[in-house]
Amino acid sequence: MTNNGKLSTRGQVLLWAAQRASAAVLAVCVLVHLVTIIYAVRHGLSATEILGRTRGNAAWAGFYSLFVLAVAVHAPIGLRSFLAETLNWRGTGLDVAMMALALTLTMWGLRAVLAVFV
Amino acid sequence: MSTLRVSVWRGTETGRFQSFEVPRLESQTVLDVVTHIQRVLDPTLAYRFACRVGMCGSCAMTVNGRARWTCRTHVDKVAEGGRLEVAPLSNLPVVRDLVTDMTAFFDKWAQARGSFRGARTRHDDFEQVSPDSTARRLADAGVECIGCGVCYSSCDVVAWKPDYLGPAALNRAWTLVNDVRDTGNRARLAAVAGDAGCHACHTHMSCTERCPKQISPTASIAGLKRAAAIAALRGELSDE
């Protein structure tokens, strides 16, 4: 992906495509998530009742894992553009930092999913 | 006779606005006002114009905060409370007063491979291109650009990313991508893609709103984004 320490043009375009694709996934995920929250609040579900529904539920864990991965792809790519435009931060250092952010978001998100699945 | 209070930028990158009182005339354009100042009030004022009828694109300036052709802008339409503020185009270095250095603007047309590359010679017959074909319609939609720099001056992304190719160069590239006679599109798509190219556009549409030719560089850039993304996914987009 890198050419003399710089992300190749194809790499830059694939990042753009990944951000658009992850945005489409996030649009659905956020909607489902909001409906879930509203359902839980309106039905007065307790923490124990919520955990009773999430523990061992592979479909639930799969959906939120997808949500986490979409966030981990979408946010660092957007932040990469934002930092380049506002702070003029470019190059390998920025790409490494954004990769670290993506891995951190993935780790934190999947840890949260796992915590209410197991 | 009523008068117009006009603030005109004097200096280079650093400078100040200088005030002038200009006689208000019927059907007066902003270019008429600037010309009056230079010919009657202060001959040291530097500005640029040529055709005066909206064909050459050389008289673009920032009028009351917006980039416009001064020759086709009537004072009636833009003077707020009898006041005008005339400044050089944004996003370009100022040579002096109202004159900008457009070198970077035109260099980016070359970087975006904005010149036609055909395969035929003078010995070949003309290529038949149907005016109704989809590709020709897309090319026609952007081909009337005269390179005035209004879109470039109005673009937020150019202000944030000085290496961004800008709306005019990308619009030109899109017209050539849709020119069935052109043979340079593989290199052209690689030249216009990525962080300093079409994919940097935020679709703010200032270029489209302010283009005096009613061209939509935003639509052209969207077309380039799709074409380059498809080429990238197919593995056909490589650095030169």
Side-chain angles (χ1 to χ4, degrees), chain B residues 27-63:
Chain B
S27 300
Q28 190 176 25
T29 67
V30 176
L31 183 61
D32 293 335
V33 171
V34 175
T35 300
H36 177 87
I37 293 170
Q38 200 248 17
R39 295 195 179 169
V40 178
L41 304 176
D42 186 347
T44 66
L45 177 67
Y47 70 112
R48 187 187 280 140
F49 76 99
C51 75
R52 300 183 293 170
V53 290
M55 288 175 67
C56 72
S58 62
C59 70
M61 300 172 202
T62 306
V63 182

Short mmCIF file of all heavy atoms in Angstrom, two decimals, chain B residues 27-63:
data_model
loop_
_atom_site.label_atom_id
_atom_site.label_comp_id
_atom_site.label_asym_id
_atom_site.label_seq_id
_atom_site.Cartn_x
_atom_site.Cartn_y
_atom_site.Cartn_z
N SER B 27 -26.98 51.02 -15.36
CA SER B 27 -26.42 49.80 -15.96
C SER B 27 -24.90 49.69 -15.75
O SER B 27 -24.19 49.16 -16.61
CB SER B 27 -26.73 49.73 -17.46
OG SER B 27 -28.11 49.74 -17.68
N GLN B 28 -24.46 50.19 -14.63
CA GLN B 28 -23.02 50.20 -14.35
C GLN B 28 -22.59 48.82 -13.84
O GLN B 28 -23.25 48.25 -12.97
CB GLN B 28 -22.79 51.25 -13.26
CG GLN B 28 -21.37 51.61 -12.96
CD GLN B 28 -21.35 52.73 -11.91
OE1 GLN B 28 -22.29 52.88 -11.13
NE2 GLN B 28 -20.30 53.51 -11.91
N THR B 29 -21.49 48.31 -14.38
CA THR B 29 -20.96 47.04 -13.88
C THR B 29 -19.85 47.31 -12.88
O THR B 29 -19.31 48.43 -12.81
CB THR B 29 -20.39 46.17 -15.02
OG1 THR B 29 -19.23 46.81 -15.56
CG2 THR B 29 -21.42 45.94 -16.12
N VAL B 30 -19.48 46.27 -12.13
CA VAL B 30 -18.39 46.42 -11.15
C VAL B 30 -17.09 46.73 -11.89
O VAL B 30 -16.26 47.51 -11.42
CB VAL B 30 -18.26 45.16 -10.28
CG1 VAL B 30 -17.07 45.26 -9.34
CG2 VAL B 30 -19.54 44.93 -9.49
N LEU B 31 -16.93 46.15 -13.10
CA LEU B 31 -15.72 46.44 -13.88
C LEU B 31 -15.70 47.92 -14.29
O LEU B 31 -14.63 48.55 -14.29
CB LEU B 31 -15.65 45.54 -15.12
CG LEU B 31 -14.39 45.70 -15.98
CD1 LEU B 31 -13.13 45.37 -15.18
CD2 LEU B 31 -14.47 44.82 -17.23
N ASP B 32 -16.87 48.49 -14.61
CA ASP B 32 -16.95 49.93 -14.91
C ASP B 32 -16.44 50.75 -13.72
O ASP B 32 -15.74 51.75 -13.88
CB ASP B 32 -18.40 50.35 -15.22
CG ASP B 32 -18.92 49.74 -16.52
OD1 ASP B 32 -18.09 49.42 -17.39
OD2 ASP B 32 -20.15 49.61 -16.64
N VAL B 33 -16.83 50.32 -12.52
CA VAL B 33 -16.44 51.04 -11.30
C VAL B 33 -14.92 50.99 -11.12
O VAL B 33 -14.26 52.01 -10.88
CB VAL B 33 -17.16 50.42 -10.07
CG1 VAL B 33 -16.59 51.00 -8.78
CG2 VAL B 33 -18.66 50.65 -10.16
N VAL B 34 -14.35 49.77 -11.26
CA VAL B 34 -12.90 49.62 -11.09
C VAL B 34 -12.16 50.41 -12.16
O VAL B 34 -11.14 51.07 -11.88
CB VAL B 34 -12.52 48.11 -11.13
CG1 VAL B 34 -11.01 47.93 -11.08
CG2 VAL B 34 -13.17 47.36 -9.98
N THR B 35 -12.68 50.38 -13.38
CA THR B 35 -12.05 51.13 -14.48
C THR B 35 -12.10 52.63 -14.21
O THR B 35 -11.12 53.35 -14.47
CB THR B 35 -12.76 50.79 -15.81
OG1 THR B 35 -12.63 49.39 -16.04
CG2 THR B 35 -12.13 51.53 -16.98
N HIS B 36 -13.22 53.11 -13.69
CA HIS B 36 -13.33 54.54 -13.35
C HIS B 36 -12.27 54.93 -12.32
O HIS B 36 -11.61 55.98 -12.46
CB HIS B 36 -14.73 54.85 -12.81
CG HIS B 36 -14.89 56.27 -12.37
ND1 HIS B 36 -15.27 57.27 -13.24
CD2 HIS B 36 -14.67 56.87 -11.16
CE1 HIS B 36 -15.30 58.42 -12.59
NE2 HIS B 36 -14.94 58.20 -11.32
N ILE B 37 -12.10 54.09 -11.32
CA ILE B 37 -11.10 54.39 -10.28
C ILE B 37 -9.71 54.48 -10.90
O ILE B 37 -8.96 55.42 -10.65
CB ILE B 37 -11.13 53.30 -9.17
CG1 ILE B 37 -12.45 53.36 -8.41
CG2 ILE B 37 -9.94 53.47 -8.22
CD1 ILE B 37 -12.68 52.20 -7.46
N GLN B 38 -9.39 53.51 -11.77
CA GLN B 38 -8.03 53.48 -12.33
C GLN B 38 -7.79 54.62 -13.32
O GLN B 38 -6.72 55.21 -13.36
CB GLN B 38 -7.79 52.13 -13.01
CG GLN B 38 -6.33 51.80 -13.18
CD GLN B 38 -5.93 51.80 -14.65
OE1 GLN B 38 -6.65 52.35 -15.50
NE2 GLN B 38 -4.78 51.22 -14.93
N ARG B 39 -8.83 54.97 -14.10
CA ARG B 39 -8.64 55.99 -15.15
C ARG B 39 -8.82 57.41 -14.65
O ARG B 39 -8.25 58.34 -15.22
CB ARG B 39 -9.59 55.72 -16.31
CG ARG B 39 -9.22 54.39 -16.97
CD ARG B 39 -9.85 54.21 -18.30
NE ARG B 39 -9.42 52.93 -18.87
CZ ARG B 39 -9.96 52.39 -19.93
NH1 ARG B 39 -10.95 52.99 -20.55
NH2 ARG B 39 -9.52 51.24 -20.38
N VAL B 40 -9.61 57.57 -13.57
CA VAL B 40 -9.93 58.93 -13.12
C VAL B 40 -9.34 59.25 -11.75
O VAL B 40 -8.80 60.34 -11.54
CB VAL B 40 -11.46 59.14 -13.09
CG1 VAL B 40 -11.82 60.54 -12.59
CG2 VAL B 40 -12.06 58.88 -14.47
N LEU B 41 -9.41 58.28 -10.82
CA LEU B 41 -9.07 58.60 -9.43
C LEU B 41 -7.65 58.19 -9.03
O LEU B 41 -6.99 58.89 -8.27
CB LEU B 41 -10.08 57.93 -8.48
CG LEU B 41 -11.55 58.29 -8.75
CD1 LEU B 41 -12.45 57.50 -7.81
CD2 LEU B 41 -11.78 59.79 -8.56
N ASP B 42 -7.20 57.02 -9.49
CA ASP B 42 -5.88 56.55 -9.07
C ASP B 42 -5.28 55.63 -10.14
O ASP B 42 -5.57 54.43 -10.16
CB ASP B 42 -5.99 55.80 -7.74
CG ASP B 42 -4.62 55.42 -7.19
OD1 ASP B 42 -3.62 55.50 -7.95
OD2 ASP B 42 -4.55 55.04 -6.01
N PRO B 43 -4.45 56.17 -11.04
CA PRO B 43 -3.90 55.36 -12.14
C PRO B 43 -2.95 54.25 -11.69
O PRO B 43 -2.55 53.42 -12.51
CB PRO B 43 -3.17 56.39 -13.00
CG PRO B 43 -2.92 57.55 -12.12
CD PRO B 43 -4.01 57.56 -11.09
N THR B 44 -2.59 54.22 -10.39
CA THR B 44 -1.68 53.15 -9.95
C THR B 44 -2.42 51.85 -9.60
O THR B 44 -1.79 50.84 -9.31
CB THR B 44 -0.88 53.60 -8.70
OG1 THR B 44 -1.79 53.76 -7.61
CG2 THR B 44 -0.11 54.88 -8.96
N LEU B 45 -3.75 51.88 -9.66
CA LEU B 45 -4.51 50.66 -9.33
C LEU B 45 -4.27 49.58 -10.39
O LEU B 45 -4.42 49.82 -11.58
CB LEU B 45 -6.02 50.98 -9.26
CG LEU B 45 -6.93 49.77 -9.01
CD1 LEU B 45 -6.72 49.22 -7.61
CD2 LEU B 45 -8.39 50.13 -9.23
N ALA B 46 -3.88 48.37 -9.92
CA ALA B 46 -3.65 47.26 -10.84
C ALA B 46 -4.86 46.33 -10.84
O ALA B 46 -5.33 45.91 -9.78
CB ALA B 46 -2.40 46.49 -10.43
N TYR B 47 -5.38 46.03 -12.03
CA TYR B 47 -6.45 45.04 -12.17
C TYR B 47 -6.34 44.43 -13.55
O TYR B 47 -5.56 44.89 -14.39
CB TYR B 47 -7.84 45.66 -11.93
CG TYR B 47 -8.32 46.62 -12.99
CD1 TYR B 47 -9.40 46.29 -13.81
CD2 TYR B 47 -7.72 47.86 -13.16
CE1 TYR B 47 -9.87 47.17 -14.77
CE2 TYR B 47 -8.18 48.75 -14.12
CZ TYR B 47 -9.25 48.40 -14.93
OH TYR B 47 -9.71 49.27 -15.88
N ARG B 48 -7.11 43.37 -13.79
CA ARG B 48 -6.96 42.63 -15.05
C ARG B 48 -8.32 42.48 -15.72
O ARG B 48 -9.31 42.14 -15.08
CB ARG B 48 -6.37 41.25 -14.72
CG ARG B 48 -5.99 40.42 -15.90
CD ARG B 48 -5.58 39.03 -15.46
NE ARG B 48 -4.23 38.96 -14.96
CZ ARG B 48 -3.85 38.24 -13.90
NH1 ARG B 48 -4.73 37.56 -13.20
NH2 ARG B 48 -2.59 38.20 -13.53
N PHE B 49 -8.37 42.76 -17.01
CA PHE B 49 -9.57 42.49 -17.79
C PHE B 49 -9.17 42.43 -19.26
O PHE B 49 -8.08 42.86 -19.64
CB PHE B 49 -10.66 43.56 -17.57
CG PHE B 49 -10.39 44.85 -18.30
CD1 PHE B 49 -11.01 45.12 -19.52
CD2 PHE B 49 -9.52 45.79 -17.78
CE1 PHE B 49 -10.76 46.31 -20.19
CE2 PHE B 49 -9.27 46.98 -18.45
CZ PHE B 49 -9.89 47.24 -19.66
N ALA B 50 -10.06 41.90 -20.09
CA ALA B 50 -9.78 41.90 -21.53
C ALA B 50 -11.06 42.13 -22.33
O ALA B 50 -11.27 43.20 -22.87
CB ALA B 50 -9.10 40.60 -21.95
N CYS B 51 -11.98 41.16 -22.35
CA CYS B 51 -13.07 41.24 -23.34
C CYS B 51 -14.23 42.12 -22.90
O CYS B 51 -14.92 42.67 -23.74
CB CYS B 51 -13.58 39.84 -23.65
SG CYS B 51 -14.60 39.12 -22.34
N ARG B 52 -14.50 42.21 -21.60
CA ARG B 52 -15.59 42.99 -21.01
C ARG B 52 -16.98 42.42 -21.29
O ARG B 52 -17.98 43.05 -20.98
CB ARG B 52 -15.54 44.46 -21.47
CG ARG B 52 -14.27 45.16 -21.07
CD ARG B 52 -14.30 46.60 -21.47
NE ARG B 52 -14.29 46.73 -22.91
CZ ARG B 52 -14.50 47.86 -23.56
NH1 ARG B 52 -14.76 48.97 -22.88
NH2 ARG B 52 -14.46 47.91 -24.88
N VAL B 53 -17.06 41.25 -21.91
CA VAL B 53 -18.38 40.69 -22.25
C VAL B 53 -18.55 39.24 -21.79
O VAL B 53 -19.36 38.50 -22.33
CB VAL B 53 -18.67 40.79 -23.76
CG1 VAL B 53 -18.90 42.23 -24.17
CG2 VAL B 53 -17.55 40.15 -24.58
N GLY B 54 -17.78 38.80 -20.80
CA GLY B 54 -17.98 37.45 -20.28
C GLY B 54 -17.49 36.33 -21.16
O GLY B 54 -18.04 35.24 -21.15
N MET B 55 -16.46 36.60 -21.93
CA MET B 55 -15.91 35.54 -22.78
C MET B 55 -14.51 35.10 -22.36
O MET B 55 -14.14 33.95 -22.55
CB MET B 55 -15.85 36.01 -24.24
CG MET B 55 -17.21 36.11 -24.88
SD MET B 55 -17.11 36.80 -26.53
CE MET B 55 -16.23 35.51 -27.40
N CYS B 56 -13.73 36.01 -21.79
CA CYS B 56 -12.33 35.68 -21.54
C CYS B 56 -12.06 35.16 -20.13
O CYS B 56 -11.12 34.41 -19.92
CB CYS B 56 -11.44 36.88 -21.82
SG CYS B 56 -11.58 38.20 -20.59
N GLY B 57 -12.88 35.57 -19.17
CA GLY B 57 -12.71 35.10 -17.79
C GLY B 57 -11.56 35.73 -17.04
O GLY B 57 -11.13 35.20 -16.02
N SER B 58 -11.06 36.87 -17.50
CA SER B 58 -9.87 37.43 -16.84
C SER B 58 -10.20 38.47 -15.77
O SER B 58 -9.32 38.87 -15.02
CB SER B 58 -8.95 38.07 -17.89
OG SER B 58 -9.62 39.12 -18.55
N CYS B 59 -11.46 38.91 -15.66
CA CYS B 59 -11.78 40.01 -14.75
C CYS B 59 -12.39 39.53 -13.43
O CYS B 59 -12.98 40.33 -12.71
CB CYS B 59 -12.73 41.00 -15.42
SG CYS B 59 -14.39 40.33 -15.65
N ALA B 60 -12.27 38.23 -13.11
CA ALA B 60 -12.87 37.73 -11.88
C ALA B 60 -12.20 38.35 -10.65
O ALA B 60 -10.97 38.43 -10.59
CB ALA B 60 -12.77 36.22 -11.83
N MET B 61 -13.02 38.80 -9.72
CA MET B 61 -12.54 39.38 -8.47
C MET B 61 -13.53 39.00 -7.37
O MET B 61 -14.60 38.45 -7.65
CB MET B 61 -12.47 40.91 -8.57
CG MET B 61 -11.53 41.43 -9.65
SD MET B 61 -11.68 43.21 -9.86
CE MET B 61 -11.06 43.41 -11.53
N THR B 62 -13.17 39.31 -6.14
CA THR B 62 -14.08 39.06 -5.02
C THR B 62 -14.88 40.34 -4.76
O THR B 62 -14.30 41.36 -4.38
CB THR B 62 -13.30 38.64 -3.76
OG1 THR B 62 -12.47 37.52 -4.09
CG2 THR B 62 -14.24 38.27 -2.64
N VAL B 63 -16.17 40.28 -5.01
CA VAL B 63 -17.03 41.46 -4.87
C VAL B 63 -17.98 41.22 -3.70
O VAL B 63 -18.76 40.26 -3.71
CB VAL B 63 -17.83 41.71 -6.16
CG1 VAL B 63 -18.68 42.97 -6.02
CG2 VAL B 63 -16.91 41.80 -7.36
#
